[in-house]
């Protein structure tokens, strides 16, 4: 068996096209232009690349977008004041504080200061809690994007065994909850888990740990759908995921490449979250 590649770039382009169409309707019918404000503190190189991509996507779909770029010496109180100003600005529908923040700033306090209805990332404790309770909530972008990828390849989680490797607040935990909402039987793995045994049971496997090729292809259940959220740079400069791709592709039915799989979806779903916030604000 050779797995079909799940083309995240193509799916993300479709999502952006849907959003662009909805933005045009929102402007024409209600005079509302969605607005996304991104806060990037300091000069982290990866953050700069991510924020540039987000700004480009926002402009492509017709949003207003702003980048606030304070120096890394900004105090926590000053950053909280900036977040408060954005909370009160009616032109801003989505706020994204790019992580990581400098060590002297409490990231949890900053994320919690963003109004839940403007939380474009889906990280606010109220949104995380509502997801847990099965209530409407802004969803964390990466797992939200994974759900769209599964939908695109016709993979209905209902009744299937889903294994999520990694229990981060950003991907692993919300991913498990979203799969559970779709009636999958969900297992969450971590460093104390018997990984080969658990992975071997997975009809749907989502791996998000940041360890190059941790999950071996030989562990994959034949016919499984494999979603690799990891992106790691090896010593030779090559980008690889958290799954041993070539060997896994021989056993899986569908698999995401790295790069070009989950990555583009994260930004696309950030745009979707911002659009939905603008739609709610205009009601």
């Amino acid at each position: 068996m050779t797995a079909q590649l799940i083309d995240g770039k193509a799916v993300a382009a479709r999502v952006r096209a849907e959003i662009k169409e909805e933005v045009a309707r929102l402007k024409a019918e209600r005079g509302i232009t969605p607005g996304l404000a991104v806060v990037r503190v300091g000069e982290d190189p990866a953050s700069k690349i991510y924020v540039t991509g987000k700004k480009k996507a926002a402009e492509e779909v017709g949003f207003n977008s702003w980048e606030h770029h304070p120096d890394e010496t900004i105090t926590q109180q000053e950053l909280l004041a900036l977040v408060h100003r954005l909370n009160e600005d009616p032109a801003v529908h989505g706020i994204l504080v790019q992580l990581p923040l400098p060590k002297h700033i409490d990231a949890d306090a900053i994320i919690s200061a963003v109004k839940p209805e403007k939380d474009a990332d889906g990280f606010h404790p109220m949104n995380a809690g509502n997801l847990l309770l099965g209530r409407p909530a802004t969803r964390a972008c990466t797992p939200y994007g994974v759900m769209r990828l599964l939908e695109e390849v016709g993979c209905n989680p209902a009744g299937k065994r889903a294994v999520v490797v990694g229990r981060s607040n950003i991907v692993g935990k919300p991913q498990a909850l979203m799969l559970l909402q779709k009636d999958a039987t969900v297992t969450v793995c971590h460093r104390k888990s018997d990984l080969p045994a658990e992975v071997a049971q997975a009809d749907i496997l989502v791996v998000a740990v940041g360890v190059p090729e941790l999950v071996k292809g030989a562990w994959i259940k034949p016919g499984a759908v494999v979603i690799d959220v990891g992106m790691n740079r090896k010593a030779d400069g090559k980008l690889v995921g958290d799954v041993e791709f070539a060997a896994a592709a021989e056993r899986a039915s569908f698999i995401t490449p790295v790069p070009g799989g989950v990555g583009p979806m994260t930004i696309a779903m950030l745009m979707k979250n911002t659009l939905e916030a603008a739609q709610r604000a205009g009601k």
Side-chain angles (χ1 to χ4, degrees), residues 248-267:
E250 290 177 8
R251 296 172 68 86
S253 58
F254 292 92
I255 190 168
T256 55
V258 176
V262 176
M265 294 302 297
T266 299
I267 294 180

Side-chain angles (χ1 to χ4, degrees), residues 79-146:
L79 188 54
L80 285 168
L82 171 58
V83 169
H84 180 70
R85 287 199 302 276
L86 297 173
N87 279 337
E88 299 309 312
D89 185 344
V92 174
H93 301 100
I95 300 170
L96 181 147
V97 180
Q98 183 65 46
L99 301 175
L101 292 170
K103 288 184 171 62
H104 66 278
I105 291 175
D106 180 351
D108 288 342
I110 302 301
I111 290 166
S112 296
V114 175
K115 278 186 175 178
E117 60 268 29
K118 292 193 176 190
D119 165 34
D121 258 333
F123 293 164
H124 192 282
M126 187 173 288
N127 286 322
N130 280 331
L131 175 63
L132 175 67
L133 296 171
R135 297 172 181 167
T138 304
R139 299 179 170 218
C141 301
T142 299
Y144 195 12
V146 169

Side-chain angles (χ1 to χ4, degrees), residues 27 34 37 43 110 130 135 141 150 157 208 231 247 257 264 272 278-279:
K27 286 180 183 178
E43 294 299 339
I110 302 301
N130 280 331
R135 297 172 181 167
C141 301
L150 292 175
M231 174 129 11
K272 188 170 175 64
Q279 289 169 325

Side-chain angles (χ1 to χ4, degrees), residues 101-228:
L101 292 170
K103 288 184 171 62
H104 66 278
I105 291 175
D106 180 351
D108 288 342
I110 302 301
I111 290 166
S112 296
V114 175
K115 278 186 175 178
E117 60 268 29
K118 292 193 176 190
D119 165 34
D121 258 333
F123 293 164
H124 192 282
M126 187 173 288
N127 286 322
N130 280 331
L131 175 63
L132 175 67
L133 296 171
R135 297 172 181 167
T138 304
R139 299 179 170 218
C141 301
T142 299
Y144 195 12
V146 169
M147 298 307 290
R148 176 64 185 258
L149 290 177
L150 292 175
E151 188 183 312
E152 288 280 331
V153 299
C155 178
N156 180 0
K160 292 188 172 66
R161 186 174 290 276
V163 173
V164 178
V165 182
R167 55 179 171 185
S168 72
N169 294 332
I170 292 172
V171 182
K173 289 176 186 173
Q175 186 72 76
L177 290 168
M178 289 181 205
L179 286 162
L180 194 60
Q181 280 187 350
K182 293 293 184 181
D183 299 320
T185 301
V186 182
T187 301
V188 179
C189 296
H190 43 77
R191 59 174 55 87
K192 300 291 186 182
S193 303
D194 181 349
L195 212 49
E198 298 294 351
V199 167
Q201 302 297 314
D203 303 307
I204 299 169
L205 177 68
V206 182
V207 188
V209 286
V211 178
E213 299 174 327
L214 172 72
V215 173
K216 303 307 174 192
W219 303 348
I220 305 296
K221 181 179 180 178
V225 176
V226 178
I227 309 288
D228 190 348

